[in-house]
Amino acid sequence: MKKSIISILAAVISIVAGLVLGLVVVMATGSDAAISWSCFTAMLTSGFSSMAKLAKVLYQAAPLIMTGLSVGFAFKTGLFNIGAPGQYLMGAFVALVGAIQFQLSWPICIIAAMIAGALWGALPGLAKAYFNVNEVITSIMLNWIGLFIVNISLMNMPKMLPPHWVPSPIKDRTASLKYANPDGIIPKMGMDEFFGSPYINISIIIAILFAVVIYIILNRTTFGYELKACGHNRESARYAGINAKRNIILSMCIAGALSGVGGALYYLSGEADYNILKVLQANGFNGIPVALLATSNPLGIIFSALFISYIQVGGEAMQPHFATEVIDIIVSVIIYLAAFTLLTKGLLSKVIKFNDGKDANAEPKPAEKNTGKENGK
Amino acid sequence: MNILADIISATVLFAIPLLLVALGGMFSERSGIINIALDGIMIIGALLGCHTLKWLDPAVTAGNLGSQVAVMIAILVAGVAGIALSLLLAFSAINLRADQTIGGTALNMFAPAFSIVLTWAILGQGQTTMTLPTWVRIVQNNFGKEASGTFGDMLVFKSLYATHFLCIILFAAAVILLYKTKFGLRLRACGEHPQAADSVGINVYKMRYAGVMISGFLGGIGGMSFVFAVGGFQSEVAGYGFLALAVMIFGNWKPWSILGAAFFFSFFRVIGNYASSIPFMPKLSNVEGVTTYLWPSIPYVVTVILLILTSKRSRAPKAEGIPYDKGQR
């Protein structure tokens, strides 16, 4: 219990520091301090300003939960899945191809996206397990390769583009699902009327279910225990008879599958078309801060994804005075600080220990010592 | 013949940023710190270098300042900016013993965002593209000659920048520094066995700081030379920092091998760019997006394949990525 309170406190400190630096940047680069301040407060409050904005926060949180789970799951097993953008993109691509080209319904598209993401995630896993190639470099290369493959494929699939479905000259994005295949849209279950926004659908519920499933796998199954053991110490896991190679590949597959579903959830809403651009989707990268803020806890990831989504919706309120990249600056500060959460956590636990030192009895102390040692490493 | 001159000069042009940045990565990793932030360092270097060039532009066009002097100032600014960003990585990785990959990722996210915000603030809302002044390139006039259009002329002056000369100097300096000086020996010791290095009186923290700062300097200059190569800056370096890391791994953390690897990778990049005008490449005229997406993917695909093929003989510094804790000997 105390451990989780400390984790939450450390996350809050990172967030506050990130926001303060964001404010400094806005104040320093804006021409008028009053405008800068109003933009900044608009960014902070925008997400709750109306039901429609809240709906957008929830809609954008769903893919972030998925990519956050993807990165977090890999972290738990000792891997850094910076390939989430590529896996996300592959999931989005396969989901859209399923929905538009093959006119499949949304659950099948999501499953297809899951498989696509898993396969794309398996590649760096295989390279790591059998050739000991650093998964970070291969993942980054595969992100770019995936982007090139998806874009060139879409450009050469006329059925995927708007002119095939509606008279339109637009050829730089995929056709809207509303015209191409209404069955491919994730159902809204009346939530759109409640929130007064077309963005909302059951994707947020699907994502939360995934988070719960991952939590159970990691904490309540032998399989999850083996994966975590590999993450802690690969050699001793192997000594204990755990197949480390198999586990690396499997955990990259699962991580990839989660990102792939994220891509499907975002693009099967019927409100987002894939833009054929030479830019990787930010939703994939943002899985990293989401996972770090929650210290890779699957249930914590739900909340950190909601937070990141919230400030991203807020970032739109800063335009046209400031580039939305101000949000990226804030997020990067949060990651930077999260990188040494161990230190902040160590400090916090000292402070908290000092406060309740009187009523603590002898029993919890050895446990604390243990965590202290782990942190020291 | 002209296309051959183009390909050779472009290969050299694009090999320079790869070589400089990979050498930077080598110094950092040889000291024991994984510097995945090189991409961000390149962006910050390029950003401040470009703004310096823009700031010096009036003085140069008025004839008050030599054009190549201005370029050297910009390159120096880029290097110092790179050092500044690398210090953030060094602080988290060395003093706070944080996860080096995550810290680097944060900086990689920070750099392009900061670059866009700053460029907006200076150039005006929505402006993100910085173009290079024409006087940056070294042309025949700088040597008091006329353009002659011969093969040799095309080869040398097609795209010649101050970074060409600087790169040769820096490469020689890097080789000497790493292999022929006490400093280099100590740096390598810190990357292999920091405990042993510490036991003979080497300050591991200081050496690692030095390694990361050298990588920041070279990374910043590499960013500037990348801008020279592509002719403009849009707050991104197309993943060159990561390609440079792959070059470093492929070059086995050794300067001469890195030199070869940089040219090798650059050659593939240039083939990707010139593919549509090279006679023996397939035309694929009925496929859309070949020049924008198919050929440019070549260097990335080659990188993955090569990393897998050469992984067996690859030998990373033993202690890289492991924070050094003085109390844990």
Side-chain angles (χ1 to χ4, degrees), chain A residues 80 131 136 140 156 286 320 336, chain B residues 36 88 101 109 125 288 311:
Chain A
F80 184 27
F131 301 99
V136 175
I140 288 165
N156 292 291
N286 282 332
Y336 183 76
Chain B
I36 207 171
L88 286 173
T101 318
M109 192 166 189
Q125 280 169 19
E288 283 199 55
S311 63

Side-chain angles (χ1 to χ4, degrees), chain B residues 46-328:
Chain B
L47 168 77
L48 293 186
C50 281
H51 280 289
T52 309
L53 283 177
K54 191 178 149 54
W55 179 62
L56 293 172
D57 188 36
V60 174
T61 37
N64 296 331
L65 187 69
S67 60
Q68 291 311 310
V69 178
V71 171
M72 287 316 288
I73 295 173
I75 290 173
L76 194 66
V77 169
V80 173
I83 292 179
L85 194 70
S86 72
L87 280 175
L88 286 173
L89 175 75
F91 178 68
S92 85
I94 299 167
N95 295 89
L96 300 178
R97 299 197 293 274
D99 187 311
Q100 298 163 6
T101 318
I102 298 172
T105 304
L107 296 180
N108 280 338
M109 192 166 189
F110 171 80
F114 178 74
S115 168
I116 289 173
V117 171
L118 191 75
T119 311
W120 268 48
I122 292 175
L123 297 184
Q125 280 169 19
Q127 299 287 318
T128 49
T129 308
M130 301 218 48
T131 47
L132 283 176
T134 45
W135 45 260
V136 170
R137 190 158 72 90
I138 299 173
V139 289
Q140 288 88 337
N141 260 334
N142 294 53
F143 295 96
K145 282 197 281 185
E146 291 287 311
S148 59
T150 58
F151 178 74
D153 207 41
M154 291 284 291
L155 189 66
V156 177
F157 287 106
K158 166 85 190 189
S159 43
L160 185 65
Y161 294 94
T163 40
H164 280 68
F165 304 104
L166 190 64
C167 183
I168 298 171
I169 299 168
L170 286 174
F171 178 74
V175 174
I176 294 168
L177 188 64
L178 192 69
Y179 287 126
K180 304 284 178 208
T181 63
K182 228 194 286 182
F183 171 83
L185 184 65
R186 290 180 172 174
L187 187 92
R188 284 182 282 147
C190 291
E192 294 296 333
H193 203 310
Q195 284 82 4
D198 200 354
S199 73
V200 293
I202 299 169
N203 187 333
V204 177
Y205 291 173
K206 249 190 207 161
M207 294 315 277
R208 287 193 165 181
Y209 256 100
V212 176
M213 282 166 73
I214 294 172
S215 81
F217 184 68
L218 291 173
I221 294 177
M224 196 69 229
S225 65
F226 176 81
V227 176
F228 291 158
V230 294
F233 179 57
Q234 284 184 308
S235 299
E236 52 111 25
V237 290
Y240 251 58
F242 297 112
L243 278 178
L245 279 177
V247 165
M248 176 198 71
I249 295 172
F250 186 48
N252 227 345
W253 292 266
K254 291 188 186 112
W256 284 101
S257 314
I258 288 175
L259 177 72
F263 275 92
F264 187 78
F265 274 80
S266 170
F267 177 69
F268 275 103
R269 142 103 206 193
V270 171
I271 290 290
N273 268 22
Y274 282 79
S276 41
S277 47
I278 296 174
F280 58 82
M281 290 295 265
K283 280 286 170 282
L284 304 172
S285 49
N286 53 342
V287 186
E288 283 199 55
V290 171
T291 45
T292 32
Y293 293 116
L294 184 62
W295 301 136
S297 71
I298 292 176
Y300 302 96
V301 177
V302 169
T303 304
V304 173
I305 294 171
L306 280 180
L307 283 177
I308 290 174
L309 290 182
T310 59
S311 63
K312 284 279 182 288
R313 62 168 196 104
S314 151
R315 215 194 71 77
K318 221 174 185 174
E320 71 163 10
I322 306 162
Y324 178 61
D325 185 353
K326 241 187 168 168
Q328 196 191 53

